[in-house]
Amino acid sequence: MKRLRTGAALAALLATSCAPMTAAEGALQPSAAVWQFDNLEHIGGARVGVEGDPQVVATGLGPAVQFDGEEDALFIETHPLAGARQFTAEAIFRPEGGAFEQRWMHLAEAGADAPVGVYPPVPPSGPRMLFEIRVVGDRWYLDAFTSGPGYSQALMAPEKTFPVGRWYHVAQTYDGRTYRSFVNGELQAEAEIAFKPQGPGYSSVGTRINRRDYFNGQVLSARFTPAALSPDQFMPPPVPKSD
């Protein structure tokens, strides 16, 4: 494992790089967090810790971070959906194959008893929200997951697979009753859960927060909204100019 390093300067504000919003999205924007993966210092205004050697690369959609599936990871000093009773988590990413199990975005509550001097100070099995994929040959399927006191739910549809090496929009939502997952706006799976808001914490991108199940591919952007959006309110599905 390579030594952790953190950035020193605040990145430019992200609003100028966001796609045009509908009126409904605009109404939600003041409380939404937008992450653009165009630097390795600050994401969404939060400080970033870097492990391994992830790279900012040019793509047909704009800058993205490339992860090698072995030790590349970002640790972001915020849980962007802390306190939310309903939520939408979205991301635009490009899986490139590799290991079967890849836990590539992990939002975690730190808890009052988080250990001092450990980075990130988050138990891997505490309250959390995850985007994961399962890779089968040259195809993948989505695994969305959330867990906390009194609830633990994975949303997987192994029969709904997609080719690797392409850009996708993925989302998970909770409307106060039903937890749902989507790929390019199409429902993948759903379940009723008794979700409880999670507390402040940390996030990891490219790996599970305890440095397991690394991601092979690129991450372009993410958005976190403390409300359950419908698919027509999601970020537009990616249409790259070139790759």
Side-chain angles (χ1 to χ4, degrees):
M1 185 71 64
K2 295 186 179 179
R3 186 176 179 180
L4 179 72
R5 64 184 189 274
T6 57
L10 181 64
L13 292 176
L14 304 177
T16 56
S17 61
C18 298
M21 294 180 294
T22 65
E25 290 173 319
L28 289 165
Q29 185 62 16
S31 57
V34 178
W35 290 2
Q36 291 293 135
F37 290 85
D38 56 5
N39 75 97
L40 300 177
E41 297 181 345
H42 287 77
I43 301 292
R47 189 171 62 171
V48 177
V50 181
E51 287 186 353
D53 191 28
Q55 298 291 316
V56 177
V57 297
T59 78
L61 293 172
V65 173
Q66 177 83 48
F67 299 89
D68 69 358
E70 297 179 1
E71 61 178 5
D72 291 350
L74 304 181
F75 296 95
I76 303 173
E77 296 186 349
T78 185
H79 182 330
L81 288 170
R85 296 183 178 278
Q86 300 183 18
F87 63 82
T88 300
E90 307 172 72
I92 293 175
F93 82 129
R94 187 178 191 271
E96 296 179 347
F100 171 66
E101 188 169 341
Q102 300 182 35
R103 305 183 185 190
W104 57 276
M105 184 172 288
H106 187 145
L107 317 181
E109 176 182 309
D113 58 349
V116 176
V118 177
Y119 190 89
V122 179
S125 297
R128 61 202 185 276
M129 304 176 187
L130 285 83
F131 274 125
E132 309 181 29
I133 59 171
R134 301 293 184 266
V135 177
V136 181
D138 61 356
R139 301 183 70 86
W140 67 276
Y141 60 91
L142 182 65
D143 178 2
F145 179 80
T146 189
S147 181
Y151 65 96
S152 181
Q153 183 66 53
L155 296 178
M156 287 189 287
E159 73 280 8
K160 298 178 181 180
T161 65
F162 305 89
V164 302
R166 301 180 186 177
W167 288 102
Y168 296 91
H169 174 280
V170 293
Q172 53 182 286
T173 70
Y174 179 68
D175 63 6
R177 180 175 179 177
T178 305
Y179 180 44
R180 296 181 173 94
S181 63
F182 301 84
V183 175
N184 287 349
E186 297 294 327
L187 181 68
Q188 303 297 292
E190 62 183 350
E192 292 188 8
I193 63 172
F195 178 81
K196 296 180 179 64
Q198 299 183 2
Y202 290 74
S203 303
S204 62
V205 181
T207 184
R208 193 179 185 209
I209 210 155
N210 62 335
R211 302 174 176 88
R212 288 179 49 194
D213 304 314
Y214 285 84
F215 173 61
N216 179 37
Q218 299 172 359
V219 180
L220 180 94
S221 61
R223 185 174 68 172
F224 307 96
T225 306
L229 302 182
S230 58
D232 63 343
Q233 296 173 302
F234 291 164
M235 298 187 296
V239 181
K241 297 177 182 177
S242 63
D243 268 327

